[in-house]
Structure formats: structure tokens, C-alpha cells
Coordinates of all heavy atoms in Angstrom, one line a residue:
M1 N 3.9 0.3 13.5 CA 3.1 -0.6 12.8 C 3.9 -1.6 11.8 O 3.7 -2.8 11.9 CB 2.0 0.1 12.0 CG 1.2 -0.7 11.0 SD 0.1 -1.8 11.9 CE -0.7 -2.6 10.6
L2 N 4.8 -1.0 11.0 CA 5.5 -1.8 10.1 C 6.4 -2.8 10.8 O 6.6 -3.9 10.3 CB 6.4 -1.0 9.1 CG 5.6 -0.3 8.0 CD1 6.5 0.6 7.2 CD2 5.0 -1.3 7.1
D3 N 7.0 -2.5 11.9 CA 7.8 -3.4 12.6 C 7.1 -4.6 13.2 O 7.7 -5.6 13.6 CB 8.6 -2.7 13.7 CG 7.7 -2.0 14.7 OD1 6.5 -1.7 14.4 OD2 8.2 -1.6 15.8
Q4 N 5.8 -4.5 13.2 CA 4.9 -5.6 13.7 C 4.4 -6.5 12.6 O 3.8 -7.5 12.9 CB 3.7 -5.0 14.5 CG 4.1 -4.2 15.7 CD 3.0 -3.5 16.3 OE1 1.9 -3.5 15.8 NE2 3.2 -2.8 17.4
L5 N 4.7 -6.2 11.3 CA 4.2 -6.9 10.2 C 5.0 -8.2 10.1 O 6.2 -8.3 10.3 CB 4.3 -6.2 8.9 CG 3.4 -5.0 8.7 CD1 3.6 -4.3 7.4 CD2 1.9 -5.4 8.8
T6 N 4.3 -9.3 9.7 CA 4.9 -10.5 9.4 C 4.8 -10.8 7.9 O 4.0 -10.2 7.3 CB 4.2 -11.7 10.2 OG1 2.9 -11.8 9.8 CG2 4.3 -11.5 11.7
P7 N 5.7 -11.6 7.4 CA 5.6 -11.9 5.9 C 4.3 -12.4 5.4 O 4.0 -12.2 4.2 CB 6.7 -12.9 5.7 CG 7.6 -12.7 6.9 CD 6.8 -12.3 8.0
D8 N 3.5 -12.9 6.3 CA 2.2 -13.5 5.9 C 1.0 -12.4 6.0 O -0.1 -12.8 5.9 CB 1.8 -14.8 6.6 CG 1.8 -14.6 8.1 OD1 2.3 -13.6 8.6 OD2 1.2 -15.5 8.7
A9 N 1.4 -11.2 6.3 CA 0.3 -10.1 6.5 C -0.5 -10.0 5.2 O 0.1 -9.9 4.1 CB 1.0 -8.8 6.8
T10 N -1.8 -9.9 5.3 CA -2.7 -9.7 4.2 C -3.4 -8.4 4.2 O -3.8 -7.9 3.2 CB -3.7 -10.9 4.1 OG1 -4.5 -10.8 5.3 CG2 -3.1 -12.2 4.0
D11 N -3.6 -7.8 5.4 CA -4.3 -6.5 5.5 C -3.5 -5.5 6.3 O -3.2 -5.8 7.4 CB -5.6 -6.8 6.2 CG -6.6 -5.6 6.3 OD1 -6.1 -4.5 6.2 OD2 -7.8 -5.8 6.5
V12 N -3.1 -4.5 5.6 CA -2.2 -3.5 6.3 C -2.9 -2.1 6.2 O -3.3 -1.6 5.2 CB -0.8 -3.4 5.6 CG1 0.0 -2.3 6.2 CG2 -0.1 -4.7 5.6
D13 N -3.1 -1.6 7.4 CA -3.7 -0.2 7.6 C -2.7 0.7 8.1 O -2.3 0.7 9.2 CB -4.9 -0.3 8.5 CG -5.7 1.0 8.6 OD1 -5.2 2.0 8.2 OD2 -6.8 0.9 9.0
L14 N -2.2 1.6 7.2 CA -1.2 2.6 7.6 C -1.8 4.0 7.8 O -1.1 5.0 7.8 CB -0.1 2.7 6.6 CG 0.7 1.4 6.5 CD1 1.8 1.5 5.4 CD2 1.4 1.0 7.8
T15 N -3.1 4.1 8.0 CA -3.8 5.4 8.2 C -3.4 5.9 9.6 O -3.1 5.1 10.5 CB -5.3 5.3 8.0 OG1 -5.8 4.3 8.9 CG2 -5.7 5.0 6.6
N16 N -3.3 7.2 9.8 CA -3.0 7.8 11.0 C -1.6 7.4 11.6 O -1.4 7.4 12.8 CB -4.0 7.5 12.1 CG -5.4 8.0 11.7 OD1 -5.6 9.1 11.2 ND2 -6.4 7.1 11.8
Q17 N -0.7 7.1 10.7 CA 0.7 6.7 11.1 C 1.7 7.8 10.7 O 2.9 7.6 11.0 CB 1.1 5.4 10.3 CG 0.2 4.2 10.6 CD 0.3 3.8 12.1 OE1 1.4 3.6 12.6 NE2 -0.8 3.5 12.7
G18 N 1.2 8.8 10.1 CA 2.1 10.0 9.8 C 3.1 9.7 8.6 O 4.1 10.3 8.6
I19 N 2.8 8.7 7.8 CA 3.7 8.4 6.7 C 3.5 9.3 5.5 O 2.3 9.8 5.3 CB 3.7 6.9 6.3 CG1 2.3 6.6 5.7 CG2 4.0 6.0 7.4 CD1 2.3 5.3 4.9
T20 N 4.5 9.6 4.8 CA 4.4 10.4 3.6 C 4.8 9.7 2.3 O 4.7 10.2 1.2 CB 5.2 11.7 3.7 OG1 6.6 11.4 3.9 CG2 4.7 12.6 4.8
A21 N 5.3 8.5 2.5 CA 5.6 7.6 1.4 C 5.4 6.2 1.8 O 5.4 5.8 3.0 CB 7.1 7.8 1.0
I22 N 5.1 5.3 0.8 CA 4.9 3.9 1.1 C 6.2 3.3 1.5 O 7.2 3.3 0.8 CB 4.3 3.1 -0.1 CG1 2.9 3.7 -0.4 CG2 4.2 1.7 0.2 CD1 2.3 3.1 -1.7
P23 N 6.3 2.7 2.7 CA 7.5 2.0 3.1 C 7.9 0.9 2.2 O 7.0 0.1 1.8 CB 7.2 1.5 4.5 CG 6.0 2.3 5.0 CD 5.3 2.6 3.7
E24 N 9.2 0.7 1.9 CA 9.7 -0.3 1.0 C 9.2 -1.7 1.5 O 9.0 -2.6 0.6 CB 11.2 -0.3 0.9 CG 11.7 0.8 -0.1 CD 11.2 0.6 -1.5 OE1 11.3 -0.5 -2.0 OE2 10.7 1.5 -2.1
G25 N 9.1 -1.9 2.8 CA 8.7 -3.2 3.3 C 7.4 -3.7 2.8 O 7.1 -4.9 2.7
I26 N 6.5 -2.8 2.4 CA 5.2 -3.2 1.9 C 5.3 -4.0 0.6 O 4.5 -4.9 0.4 CB 4.3 -1.9 1.7 CG1 4.0 -1.2 3.0 CG2 3.1 -2.2 0.8 CD1 3.1 -2.0 3.9
F27 N 6.3 -3.7 -0.2 CA 6.5 -4.3 -1.5 C 7.1 -5.7 -1.3 O 7.2 -6.5 -2.3 CB 7.3 -3.5 -2.4 CG 6.8 -2.1 -2.7 CD1 7.3 -1.0 -2.1 CD2 5.6 -2.0 -3.4 CE1 6.8 0.2 -2.3 CE2 5.0 -0.8 -3.7 CZ 5.6 0.4 -3.1
N28 N 7.4 -6.1 -0.1 CA 8.0 -7.4 0.2 C 7.0 -8.4 0.9 O 7.4 -9.4 1.4 CB 9.2 -7.3 1.0 CG 10.3 -6.6 0.3 OD1 10.5 -6.7 -0.9 ND2 11.1 -5.7 1.0
L29 N 5.7 -8.0 0.9 CA 4.7 -8.8 1.5 C 4.0 -9.6 0.4 O 3.1 -9.1 -0.3 CB 3.7 -7.9 2.3 CG 4.2 -7.1 3.4 CD1 3.2 -6.2 4.0 CD2 4.8 -8.0 4.5
P30 N 4.3 -10.9 0.3 CA 3.8 -11.7 -0.8 C 2.3 -12.0 -0.7 O 1.7 -12.4 -1.8 CB 4.6 -13.0 -0.7 CG 5.0 -13.1 0.7 CD 5.2 -11.7 1.2
N31 N 1.6 -11.8 0.4 CA 0.2 -12.1 0.5 C -0.6 -10.9 0.7 O -1.8 -11.0 1.1 CB 0.0 -13.1 1.7 CG 0.8 -14.4 1.5 OD1 0.7 -15.0 0.5 ND2 1.6 -14.8 2.6
L32 N -0.1 -9.7 0.5 CA -0.8 -8.5 0.7 C -2.1 -8.4 -0.2 O -2.0 -8.5 -1.4 CB 0.1 -7.3 0.5 CG -0.5 -5.9 0.8 CD1 -0.9 -5.8 2.3 CD2 0.4 -4.8 0.4
R33 N -3.2 -8.3 0.5 CA -4.5 -8.2 -0.3 C -5.2 -6.8 -0.1 O -5.9 -6.4 -1.0 CB -5.4 -9.3 0.1 CG -4.9 -10.7 -0.2 CD -5.8 -11.8 -0.1 NE -7.1 -11.7 -0.7 CZ -7.4 -11.9 -2.0 NH1 -6.4 -12.2 -2.8 NH2 -8.6 -11.8 -2.5
R34 N -5.0 -6.2 1.0 CA -5.6 -4.9 1.3 C -4.6 -3.9 1.9 O -3.8 -4.3 2.8 CB -6.8 -5.0 2.3 CG -7.5 -3.7 2.6 CD -8.6 -3.9 3.6 NE -9.2 -2.6 3.9 CZ -8.7 -1.7 4.8 NH1 -7.6 -2.0 5.5 NH2 -9.2 -0.6 5.0
L35 N -4.5 -2.7 1.4 CA -3.6 -1.7 1.9 C -4.4 -0.4 2.0 O -5.1 0.1 1.1 CB -2.5 -1.5 0.9 CG -1.4 -0.4 1.3 CD1 -0.8 -0.7 2.6 CD2 -0.4 -0.3 0.2
A36 N -4.4 0.2 3.2 CA -5.0 1.5 3.5 C -4.0 2.5 3.8 O -3.1 2.3 4.6 CB -6.0 1.4 4.6
L37 N -4.1 3.7 3.2 CA -3.0 4.7 3.3 C -3.7 6.1 3.4 O -4.8 6.3 2.9 CB -2.1 4.8 2.1 CG -1.4 3.5 1.8 CD1 -0.9 3.5 0.3 CD2 -0.2 3.3 2.7
D38 N -3.0 7.0 4.1 CA -3.4 8.4 4.1 C -2.1 9.2 4.2 O -1.0 8.6 4.2 CB -4.3 8.8 5.2 CG -3.7 8.7 6.6 OD1 -2.5 8.3 6.7 OD2 -4.4 9.0 7.6
G39 N -2.2 10.5 4.0 CA -1.0 11.3 4.2 C -0.1 11.4 2.9 O 1.0 11.9 3.0
L40 N -0.5 10.7 1.9 CA 0.3 10.7 0.7 C -0.2 11.7 -0.4 O -1.4 11.9 -0.5 CB 0.2 9.3 0.0 CG 0.7 8.1 0.8 CD1 0.5 6.8 0.0 CD2 2.1 8.2 1.3
S41 N 0.7 12.3 -1.1 CA 0.3 13.2 -2.2 C 0.6 12.5 -3.5 O 0.1 13.0 -4.5 CB 1.1 14.5 -2.1 OG 2.5 14.3 -2.1
M42 N 1.3 11.4 -3.5 CA 1.5 10.6 -4.7 C 1.8 9.2 -4.4 O 2.3 8.9 -3.3 CB 2.7 11.2 -5.6 CG 4.0 11.2 -4.9 SD 5.3 11.8 -5.9 CE 5.6 10.5 -7.0
L43 N 1.6 8.3 -5.4 CA 1.9 6.9 -5.2 C 3.0 6.5 -6.1 O 3.1 7.0 -7.3 CB 0.7 6.0 -5.6 CG -0.5 6.0 -4.7 CD1 -1.6 5.2 -5.3 CD2 -0.1 5.3 -3.3
P44 N 3.9 5.7 -5.7 CA 5.0 5.2 -6.6 C 4.4 4.3 -7.6 O 3.4 3.6 -7.4 CB 6.0 4.5 -5.7 CG 5.1 4.0 -4.5 CD 4.0 5.1 -4.4
D45 N 5.0 4.2 -8.8 CA 4.6 3.3 -9.9 C 4.6 1.8 -9.4 O 3.8 1.0 -9.8 CB 5.5 3.4 -11.1 CG 5.3 4.7 -11.9 OD1 4.2 5.3 -11.7 OD2 6.2 5.1 -12.6
R46 N 5.5 1.6 -8.4 CA 5.6 0.2 -7.9 C 4.4 -0.4 -7.3 O 4.2 -1.6 -7.3 CB 6.7 0.1 -6.9 CG 8.1 -0.2 -7.4 CD 9.0 -0.4 -6.3 NE 9.0 -1.8 -5.9 CZ 9.7 -2.3 -4.8 NH1 10.4 -1.5 -4.1 NH2 9.6 -3.6 -4.5
V47 N 3.5 0.5 -6.9 CA 2.3 0.0 -6.2 C 1.4 -0.9 -7.2 O 0.8 -1.8 -6.8 CB 1.4 1.1 -5.6 CG1 0.7 1.9 -6.6 CG2 0.5 0.6 -4.5
G48 N 1.5 -0.6 -8.4 CA 0.8 -1.4 -9.5 C 1.4 -2.7 -9.7 O 0.8 -3.6 -10.4
E49 N 2.6 -3.0 -9.2 CA 3.2 -4.3 -9.4 C 2.9 -5.3 -8.3 O 3.3 -6.4 -8.3 CB 4.8 -4.0 -9.4 CG 5.2 -3.2 -10.5 CD 6.7 -2.8 -10.3 OE1 7.4 -3.3 -9.5 OE2 7.2 -2.0 -11.1
V50 N 2.1 -4.8 -7.3 CA 1.7 -5.8 -6.2 C 0.6 -6.6 -6.7 O -0.6 -6.2 -6.5 CB 1.4 -5.0 -4.9 CG1 1.1 -5.9 -3.8 CG2 2.6 -4.0 -4.5
D51 N 0.9 -7.7 -7.3 CA -0.2 -8.5 -8.0 C -1.2 -9.1 -7.0 O -2.4 -9.3 -7.4 CB 0.5 -9.7 -8.7 CG 1.4 -9.3 -9.8 OD1 1.2 -8.2 -10.4 OD2 2.4 -10.0 -10.1
T52 N -0.9 -9.3 -5.8 CA -1.9 -9.8 -4.8 C -2.8 -8.8 -4.3 O -3.8 -9.2 -3.7 CB -1.1 -10.5 -3.6 OG1 -0.3 -9.5 -3.0 CG2 -0.3 -11.7 -4.1
L53 N -2.5 -7.5 -4.5 CA -3.4 -6.4 -3.9 C -4.7 -6.4 -4.6 O -4.8 -6.2 -5.8 CB -2.6 -5.1 -4.1 CG -3.2 -3.9 -3.3 CD1 -3.1 -4.2 -1.8 CD2 -2.4 -2.7 -3.6
K54 N -5.8 -6.5 -3.8 CA -7.1 -6.5 -4.3 C -7.9 -5.2 -3.9 O -8.8 -4.8 -4.6 CB -7.9 -7.7 -3.8 CG -7.3 -9.0 -4.2 CD -7.3 -9.2 -5.7 CE -6.7 -10.5 -6.1 NZ -6.3 -10.5 -7.5
E55 N -7.5 -4.6 -2.8 CA -8.1 -3.4 -2.3 C -7.1 -2.4 -1.9 O -6.2 -2.7 -1.1 CB -9.0 -3.7 -1.2 CG -9.8 -2.5 -0.6 CD -10.7 -2.8 0.5 OE1 -11.0 -3.9 0.8 OE2 -11.0 -1.8 1.2
L56 N -7.1 -1.2 -2.5 CA -6.2 -0.1 -2.1 C -7.1 1.1 -1.6 O -7.8 1.7 -2.4 CB -5.4 0.3 -3.3 CG -4.4 1.4 -3.1 CD1 -3.4 1.1 -2.0 CD2 -3.7 1.7 -4.4
D57 N -7.1 1.3 -0.3 CA -8.0 2.3 0.3 C -7.2 3.6 0.4 O -6.3 3.7 1.2 CB -8.5 1.9 1.6 CG -9.4 2.9 2.3 OD1 -9.5 4.0 1.8 OD2 -10.0 2.5 3.3
L58 N -7.5 4.5 -0.5 CA -6.9 5.8 -0.5 C -7.9 7.0 -0.1 O -7.6 8.1 -0.4 CB -6.3 6.1 -1.9 CG -5.3 5.1 -2.4 CD1 -5.0 5.3 -3.8 CD2 -4.0 5.2 -1.5
S59 N -8.9 6.6 0.6 CA -10.0 7.5 0.8 C -9.6 8.7 1.7 O -10.2 9.8 1.6 CB -11.2 6.8 1.5 OG -10.8 6.3 2.7
K60 N -8.5 8.6 2.4 CA -8.0 9.7 3.2 C -6.7 10.3 2.7 O -6.0 11.0 3.4 CB -7.8 9.2 4.7 CG -9.1 8.8 5.3 CD -9.0 8.4 6.7 CE -10.3 7.9 7.3 NZ -10.1 7.4 8.6
A61 N -6.3 9.9 1.5 CA -5.1 10.4 0.9 C -5.4 11.6 0.0 O -6.4 11.7 -0.5 CB -4.4 9.3 0.1
A62 N -4.4 12.5 0.0 CA -4.6 13.8 -0.8 C -3.9 13.6 -2.2 O -3.0 14.4 -2.5 CB -4.1 14.9 0.0
L63 N -4.3 12.6 -2.9 CA -3.7 12.4 -4.2 C -4.2 13.3 -5.3 O -5.3 13.7 -5.3 CB -3.9 10.9 -4.6 CG -3.4 9.8 -3.7 CD1 -3.8 8.5 -4.3 CD2 -1.9 9.9 -3.6
T64 N -3.3 13.6 -6.2 CA -3.7 14.4 -7.4 C -3.7 13.6 -8.6 O -4.2 14.1 -9.7 CB -2.7 15.6 -7.6 OG1 -1.4 15.1 -7.7 CG2 -2.7 16.5 -6.4
G65 N -3.3 12.3 -8.5 CA -3.4 11.4 -9.7 C -2.9 10.0 -9.3 O -2.5 9.8 -8.1
L66 N -3.0 9.1 -10.2 CA -2.6 7.7 -9.9 C -1.6 7.3 -11.0 O -1.7 7.7 -12.1 CB -3.8 6.8 -10.0 CG -4.9 6.9 -9.0 CD1 -6.1 6.0 -9.3 CD2 -4.4 6.6 -7.6
P67 N -0.7 6.4 -10.6 CA 0.3 6.0 -11.6 C -0.4 5.1 -12.7 O -1.4 4.5 -12.4 CB 1.3 5.2 -10.8 CG 0.7 4.9 -9.5 CD -0.4 5.9 -9.3
A68 N 0.2 5.1 -13.8 CA -0.4 4.3 -14.9 C -0.4 2.8 -14.6 O -1.1 2.1 -15.3 CB 0.4 4.6 -16.2
T69 N 0.4 2.4 -13.7 CA 0.5 0.9 -13.4 C -0.7 0.4 -12.6 O -0.9 -0.8 -12.5 CB 1.8 0.6 -12.6 OG1 1.8 1.4 -11.4 CG2 3.0 0.9 -13.4
I70 N -1.5 1.3 -12.1 CA -2.7 0.9 -11.3 C -3.7 0.3 -12.3 O -4.0 0.8 -13.3 CB -3.4 2.1 -10.6 CG1 -2.5 2.7 -9.5 CG2 -4.7 1.8 -10.0 CD1 -2.3 1.9 -8.3
G71 N -4.2 -0.9 -11.9 CA -5.2 -1.6 -12.7 C -4.7 -2.4 -13.9 O -5.5 -3.0 -14.6
R72 N -3.4 -2.5 -14.1 CA -2.8 -3.3 -15.1 C -2.9 -4.8 -14.7 O -2.6 -5.1 -13.6 CB -1.4 -3.0 -15.4 CG -1.3 -1.7 -16.2 CD 0.1 -1.5 -16.7 NE 0.3 -0.2 -17.3 CZ 1.4 0.3 -17.6 NH1 2.5 -0.2 -17.2 NH2 1.5 1.5 -18.2
A73 N -3.3 -5.6 -15.6 CA -3.4 -7.1 -15.3 C -2.1 -7.8 -15.7 O -1.5 -7.4 -16.6 CB -4.6 -7.7 -15.9

């Protein structure tokens, strides 16, 4: 899936991909507005730095908490 992303990708669905960490390439998408993930037990603090992100779908992730950077304006 990630190898098919273009720099103008706005909606990325990584569910059912078997990932256990957010790939670094996600943080280089300047137009990313929606990201769906599963298989994660934690999110990196960096996810809160993606200013263009409007929707973060974690409904299938087994998270125990969120980084403090989530929701900062």
C-alpha cells in the first residue's frame, strides 16, 4: 500500500496491512487529511504534528493511550 502512495495522497487506509508502527513515509504526505490504522498498541508523538490530518481512525487499533500531541492546535 505505501509503495503506491503519491505525495498528493489525502486519504490513507492502512487497516489489514499487518503494520505494527506508523511508516515514516506517512509523515511526509503534505496533504494527508484522513488516516486509518489498526494493529498498533501505541502511537508516536509525531502523529500530533501532522497539521493537515483531520480524521484519525483508530477504531480497530488496540491502543492503551494517546500521545499528548493529539489535538494540539
Side-chain angles (χ1 to χ4, degrees):
M1 170 67 179
L2 282 176
D3 56 342
Q4 299 171 353
L5 291 178
T6 61
D8 60 339
T10 60
D11 187 337
V12 176
D13 186 342
L14 296 177
T15 57
N16 301 315
Q17 300 293 314
I19 65 167
T20 57
I22 297 177
E24 281 297 313
I26 292 297
F27 300 108
N28 297 324
L29 298 174
N31 300 311
L32 184 63
R33 297 192 49 81
R34 179 183 178 277
L35 177 60
L37 301 162
D38 67 356
L40 302 179
S41 58
M42 63 178 283
L43 286 175
D45 287 340
R46 266 187 91 186
V47 75
E49 299 171 8
V50 183
D51 295 334
T52 58
L53 194 61
K54 301 298 179 198
E55 182 181 342
L56 180 60
D57 182 352
L58 301 169
S59 61
K60 296 180 182 178
L63 298 176
T64 58
L66 295 174
T69 57
I70 295 286
R72 287 190 183 163

